[in-house]
Amino acid sequence: MARPDTATLLRLVRTPDYRRLWMLGGIANAMRWLELLAATLWTFEMTGSALAVSIVAMVRALPMMLLGAVAGALAERLDRRRLLIALQTSSALGAGGVALLAFFGELAPWHLMVQGLLAGLAWAGEMATRRRMAADAAPQGDLVQAVALDTLTGSTTRAVGPLLGGVIYQFAGIAVAAVIACALHLVALRLATRVTAPPRRVATGNPFAGIGEAVRLVLSLSALRIVLGVTFVMNVFAFSYNSILPAFGTLAFGASSAAIGLLAAAEPFGALLGGLWLALGRRNPPGTAPLVVGSFLFMVLLVVVAFTGSYALAWLLLAIGGLGTARFAAMQTSVVMTAAPPEIRSRVLGLVTTCIGMGPLGVLAMGALGDSVGPRLAIATMSGIGLALMALLLLNEARRR
């Protein structure tokens, strides 16, 4: 007989809509990271500027900052399946456009920014549409495992995507990378069209008033305040290290494009192991403690990585940090799905998306610091500020209690 944890995973993948949404997320997210690394490598090669690389990465995340909360409100007022199809179509069109421009030798950094905006629209709607739909499609009682499996898959794609992006870029160039991304985005689009989510009653009224209601709920609940605060800190001050990896890997270790892709895959690889541990582990209820501890671990290790002289040690430390980001990512969604009432969850997830979308501010700051003081000090400075803000956030929550 299968163990209970294995049986849970089998039950999840045998649920048709959950399986399709899970596979769609894996494919789309892998291509997102492949495209991002290929775009930043090409930009650094063409310009030699860490700031230019950061701007290309920043534009991709800009829709999350500007439209994350709106996407959450719209997800309660529109058919989520159709919205998912539209967003996935924008990703396929953007990748196809980059492929054509690259093949004809007309590609410029601003083209990658436009493509990044299209991909960013899909990213902005990811949490309020696909993740919400996947959580809703999971069998009753399997929420934490469903989110953990989805998070594990996301961690896998964050490892595989950059690794493939680095290898393909080094040996075939950005045009081939974009063709592969476009083809797999079309596969994901096909999966989206096969989702058979039942009709649902959608919310009515002013969507902006709905956003205000979600904000009031978040401000009233400690768990949601912590989720949004930690999400903001991690995306602005921790995950922004990704944007400077091409410059960091090249200047600190003399790494090739493939080696930089491998370095970019280190933290997601650790998160994959951490997510597997959560998915196969005991059914513990969602909580903010794992989210906070995991985030602290990752940022402390980032400071150490910034000053290491060994590529192998940097890779190992980032992989260990991934164990922390796995807990952060799993609890980020699970806490919202349990703490917020069903009728307002998409709007709260939209606010989480907005906090994730604040990442461009960190990317821009990381790039500017990288150009002025170098990639090592830039990573250490941003991570140190993040740790200080996390401490202030927890002290404030302790006072309020």
Side-chain angles (χ1 to χ4, degrees):
M1 179 181 291
R3 298 185 316 172
D5 47 18
T6 304
T8 299
L9 295 183
L10 289 174
R11 185 164 58 248
L12 286 169
V13 298
R14 287 172 179 168
T15 303
D17 270 356
Y18 179 85
R19 182 178 65 249
R20 292 176 186 127
L21 291 161
W22 169 59
M23 292 173 63
L24 187 160
I27 294 170
N29 284 320
M31 293 306 99
R32 178 178 300 137
W33 296 110
L34 182 153
E35 291 168 0
L36 177 59
L37 188 69
T40 53
L41 285 170
W42 184 88
T43 302
F44 188 66
E45 186 177 297
M46 294 296 107
T47 67
S49 168
L51 181 58
V53 170
S54 296
I55 291 173
V56 168
M58 177 195 74
V59 169
R60 182 174 289 264
L62 202 58
M64 298 181 71
M65 179 172 65
L66 300 178
L67 301 174
V70 175
L74 289 177
E76 290 179 349
R77 285 163 173 75
L78 301 175
D79 186 306
R80 290 192 195 113
R81 177 179 173 275
R82 292 182 179 178
L83 185 58
L84 184 64
I85 290 171
L87 294 173
Q88 192 54 48
T89 300
S90 74
S91 295
L93 289 174
V98 168
L100 288 173
L101 288 165
F103 271 123
F104 288 106
E106 299 295 331
L107 188 63
W110 73 267
H111 294 133
L112 294 176
M113 294 179 193
V114 173
Q115 186 258 341
L117 283 174
L118 290 175
L121 290 173
W123 206 353
E126 155 80 1
M127 186 165 286
T129 54
R130 190 198 65 82
R131 286 198 201 181
R132 169 71 192 272
M133 291 168 71
D136 287 343
Q140 189 173 9
D142 293 337
L143 173 63
V144 173
Q145 280 74 18
V147 173
L149 179 60
D150 198 50
T151 301
L152 181 153
T153 307
S155 301
T156 305
T157 61
R158 288 197 299 117
V160 172
L163 184 57
L164 285 177
V167 171
I168 293 170
Y169 181 82
Q170 181 169 334
F171 294 104
I174 195 169
V176 173
V179 167
I180 292 172
C182 180
L184 288 175
H185 277 309
L186 290 173
V187 172
L189 176 60
R190 173 59 178 161
L191 286 170
T193 63
R194 295 186 62 196
V195 172
T196 58
R200 61 189 179 84
R201 183 179 179 182
V202 298
T204 58
N206 184 349
F208 295 101
I211 295 172
E213 183 183 356
V215 171
R216 287 190 292 274
L217 176 69
V218 167
L219 293 177
S220 69
L221 295 177
S222 176
L224 295 181
R225 289 197 302 269
I226 290 174
V227 167
L228 265 69
V230 174
T231 298
F232 170 80
V233 171
M234 284 289 283
N235 281 276
V236 174
F237 297 97
F239 291 133
S240 55
Y241 88 98
N242 266 302
S243 67
I244 208 170
L245 270 184
F248 176 68
T250 301
L251 299 177
F253 309 118
S256 66
S257 296
I260 291 171
L262 185 62
L263 189 64
E267 178 268 321
F269 175 75
L272 164 63
L273 297 181
L276 189 60
W277 182 14
L278 288 170
L280 295 176
R282 295 167 52 191
R283 291 192 176 192
N284 293 321
T288 56
L291 177 139
V292 170
V293 172
S295 302
F296 261 112
L297 171 67
F298 181 59
M299 284 190 284
V300 167
L301 290 178
L302 269 183
V303 175
V304 180
V305 166
F307 294 109
T308 183
S310 166
Y311 175 93
L313 181 58
W315 193 96
L316 178 62
L317 291 172
L318 286 172
I320 295 172
L323 298 176
T325 62
R327 289 183 171 269
F328 160 76
M331 294 303 134
Q332 181 187 57
T333 303
S334 298
V335 170
V336 172
M337 293 297 292
T338 54
E343 66 274 9
I344 201 172
R345 281 176 190 162
S346 285
R347 280 172 280 170
V348 176
L349 288 170
L351 294 178
V352 174
T353 300
T354 299
C355 291
I356 296 172
M358 295 296 177
L361 302 177
V363 168
L364 193 58
M366 186 73 80
L369 280 171
D371 274 356
S372 60
V373 300
R376 288 185 184 275
L377 280 177
I379 293 174
T381 300
M382 293 291 285
S383 301
I385 294 172
L387 287 168
L389 290 176
M390 283 275 288
L392 290 173
L393 172 66
L394 295 178
L395 285 173
N396 179 63
E397 288 300 322
R399 289 195 194 99
R400 296 186 70 160
R401 289 174 184 173

